[in-house]
Amino acid sequence: MFVGFGYDVHRFKKSRKLFLGGVKISDTNGLDGHSDADVLVHALMDSLLGAAGENDIGHFFPTNDDRYKGISSIELLKIVVKTLKKKKFKIINTDMTIVAEKPKIYPYIDQMKDILSKTMGISKARIAIKATTNEKMGFIGRGEGICAMAVASLKK
């Protein structure tokens, strides 16, 4: 078994759509980034790549490459999954946490699991998504951004 960890953080940016786990949450106050800035999917991709002994997503999808400007992170996740398959890895499970003061995440978790399970080719039962706040402390607590963490396990 191979295990990897991923972390990502983005600050809020007005007049951008907010995507988390491939789900559009809001049309305003999205996250700033080169792609759609989906912190959950970014952390997930880094955990998958780390478990496979690969470089991080910045290596695969550099911010100076216009092919990835505004791209859906789900499309990037599809590329990561293909990379894992080429290396003969199978995704076993993933456990993710979103840290945000806003918005409330719980109403979207099942939809996120649907999208991620289809994209990764694993059962929804093998995907855990949790959400918490930062108890009003730090940049997340002040509502300046969102972070996500992910752990993934693979087998060869």
Side-chain angles (χ1 to χ4, degrees):
M1 182 178 320
F2 300 84
V3 177
F5 174 78
Y7 171 85
D8 195 38
V9 62
H10 287 276
R11 70 179 63 240
F12 282 111
K13 182 176 182 179
K14 291 181 181 177
S15 301
R16 262 199 90 152
K17 294 179 175 126
L18 176 61
F19 290 93
L20 293 172
V23 176
K24 185 172 104 172
I25 308 292
S26 167
D27 280 329
T28 59
N29 292 329
L31 297 171
D32 193 15
H34 188 67
S35 66
D36 65 5
D38 187 328
V39 292
L40 186 63
V41 176
H42 291 188
L44 172 59
M45 289 187 292
D46 270 342
S47 70
L48 293 167
L49 290 166
E54 291 287 342
N55 291 317
D56 65 14
I57 61 173
H59 173 81
F60 283 86
F61 314 113
T63 58
N64 62 357
D65 190 332
D66 284 341
R67 291 180 296 170
Y68 307 117
K69 186 165 180 60
I71 193 170
S72 163
S73 293
I74 294 299
E75 294 304 313
L76 301 178
L77 179 58
K78 289 176 184 176
I79 295 168
V80 168
V81 170
K82 284 181 188 174
T83 300
L84 297 176
K85 285 182 181 176
K86 283 181 189 173
K87 294 187 78 171
K88 308 276 192 244
F89 283 107
K90 179 175 171 36
I91 301 168
I92 303 302
N93 77 310
T94 184
D95 183 6
M96 298 169 275
T97 301
I98 300 167
V99 185
E101 296 298 318
K102 60 181 179 168
K104 295 292 181 196
I105 306 301
Y106 184 77
Y108 303 98
I109 288 177
D110 199 53
Q111 192 178 356
M112 290 177 192
K113 285 183 174 186
D114 282 339
I115 291 167
L116 295 174
S117 71
K118 287 175 188 160
T119 306
M120 291 187 290
I122 64 172
S123 164
K124 283 173 54 173
R126 293 187 177 173
I127 300 171
I129 301 173
K130 301 171 301 298
T132 189
T133 69
N134 223 36
E135 298 294 329
K136 307 267 186 227
M137 295 182 294
F139 73 93
I140 292 172
R142 291 188 299 271
E144 296 173 19
I146 296 176
C147 83
M149 295 163 274
V151 176
S153 64
L154 310 175
K155 71 178 181 179
K156 198 132 185 172

